[in-house]
Amino acid sequence: MSASTFFARRLPASSLARRGLGVLGTLMLLAAPDQDARALTLAPPETETSPEGVEVEPEPAAEPEPEPPPTWRFRHADKPVKVVVLAGSVGAWQRDPYAQHFENWCSNVEVKNLSKTGYGAWQLRQRFMDQVVANGYVNLRDPANEYWLVFQGGLNSVAMPEKTNKEIRQLFMSAHQRNMKVVALSLTPWGDEGDSRRWKGLTGLTYQGYTQKIVDFELGRLSPQEALGRYLDARDQPDAPWDPSELADIGVDLYDSAMRDRDAPLREIQPLRRELERSKEWKRRFAELDESTRELALDEYAQRAAELPRWYMRKELHSFDDIHPNEHGHRLLAQIACPELPDSWGCACPAIGSDVPAE
């Protein structure tokens, strides 16, 4: 398999990067001019179709089917914190979903869950405009209430991370322009050794890289250039630092959390290293490295590929597949997020992992 099919997310500060210029510095010098200065991408440019079957359907080129005009409203005057939850099919889970836990644990909160199975970032943004902004029954300027958007989506468009980030950024801006604050719940761990199309060998680094780029934007860890890439011109001032309106007010890292299978068995390193050594793309891209530095880089990438199973969701949290958490996974998700939620919500948060069975 060619290494042109895998994405290497930014290298961690390690012993490799501390050897003079080090592997990280050398890779930055060898990277193409339009590349992220902190990452080396060996994958082809983003495609215009998302990976089939990540949730239900890829993000379409056309607009979603128009929905009937919204008629829902918030109904509880004694709940001054109004929360809209917007996600794909993870958020749309029906059996004790995390949105319900927020409402149960947070005494001041009334939740409307607008999550929709099969929706990628662009569709979710359209749904927000149709169901919230265009909803004449919801007064987002009501001074008696506090309004929040809880966003947890983008997996359906994960193969287009920069485009997904562009759409999420626009969604956050639209919410802020309308007196809402934003909680970003990151993508959850996903993947499985049985999924050979997306996770076999070095290919898994592609999908972990895609996922990590969306997660890092949702958590405010990336610069505009890193997050948006070729979509940077969507900003009025492309080279300016982030404006607070473009980012979530609160970010919760679910990807690198207790939902991860941190104790999963590692893959065998030597087959992965041989796969790299056979790759024409690897040889071309790293031809200028001296032999010792190239060997260190081979070890680094092979080790990362070997650790991929530890970025999957814990098996006891799976529902019908490796992507969708079951009711225990939703409870754990809510437990991880709860301590990060605003004081105004009045949350009484259970301990993380309580009532969640171990494997």
Side-chain angles (χ1 to χ4, degrees), residues 45-50 58-63 120-123 125 151 153-154 156-171 210 213-214 217 224-232 234:
E46 292 181 356
T47 61
E48 292 303 320
T49 56
S50 60
E59 189 172 27
E63 293 190 13
W122 182 79
Q123 292 166 300
R125 182 167 70 84
F151 179 80
N156 265 324
S157 48
V158 72
M160 302 176 285
E162 292 173 357
K163 184 177 181 182
T164 294
N165 289 344
K166 175 180 79 80
E167 299 297 340
I168 296 173
R169 166 192 170 270
Q170 185 60 55
L171 173 60
Y210 290 156
K213 180 169 265 192
I214 295 170
F217 168 66
Q225 171 63 49
E226 291 167 337
L228 302 176
R230 59 185 171 140
Y231 298 101
L232 189 64

Side-chain angles (χ1 to χ4, degrees), residues 81-95:
V81 179
K82 308 301 184 184
V83 175
V84 172
V85 173
L86 187 63
S89 59
V90 171
W93 180 256
Q94 295 295 306
R95 191 184 308 156

Side-chain angles (χ1 to χ4, degrees), residues 142-180:
D142 184 350
N145 294 323
E146 187 177 315
Y147 291 92
W148 285 83
L149 169 67
V150 173
F151 179 80
Q152 197 262 328
L155 189 57
N156 265 324
S157 48
V158 72
M160 302 176 285
E162 292 173 357
K163 184 177 181 182
T164 294
N165 289 344
K166 175 180 79 80
E167 299 297 340
I168 296 173
R169 166 192 170 270
Q170 185 60 55
L171 173 60
F172 291 173
M173 291 180 67
S174 296
H176 284 130
Q177 289 164 3
R178 292 165 175 86
N179 199 41
M180 298 184 81

Side-chain angles (χ1 to χ4, degrees), residues 83-86 90-91 93 96-105 109-115 150 185 330 333-334:
V83 175
V84 172
V85 173
L86 187 63
V90 171
W93 180 256
D96 295 328
Y98 63 80
Q100 187 62 56
H101 290 304
F102 293 157
E103 194 165 53
N104 292 343
W105 300 341
V109 164
E110 180 180 2
V111 173
K112 177 62 178 180
N113 190 351
L114 293 176
S115 301
V150 173
L185 305 180
H330 275 263
L333 189 162

Side-chain angles (χ1 to χ4, degrees), residues 149 175 310 336:
L149 169 67
R310 295 186 174 179
I336 293 166

Side-chain angles (χ1 to χ4, degrees), residues 250-318:
I250 296 172
V252 179
D253 189 351
L254 302 174
Y255 189 57
D256 187 4
S257 74
M259 298 186 75
R260 252 182 74 188
D261 193 358
R262 297 180 188 274
D263 298 321
L266 297 175
R267 295 172 172 178
E268 292 185 36
I269 255 188
Q270 287 309 312
L272 296 166
R273 203 175 188 283
R274 287 194 295 270
E275 190 175 341
L276 278 168
E277 290 172 328
R278 290 194 300 265
S279 164
K280 293 180 181 179
E281 180 67 15
W282 173 273
K283 292 175 182 177
R284 181 189 66 80
R285 189 62 67 91
F286 299 109
E288 296 181 34
L289 294 176
D290 64 72
E291 184 176 354
S292 63
T293 306
R294 186 165 56 249
E295 289 296 307
L296 288 168
L298 279 166
D299 289 339
E300 181 90 6
Y301 282 97
Q303 181 64 37
R304 188 174 302 149
E307 293 173 358
L308 283 173
R310 295 186 174 179
W311 289 93
Y312 301 159
M313 185 165 57
R314 288 162 47 190
K315 291 188 183 300
E316 67 270 23
L317 305 180
H318 289 192

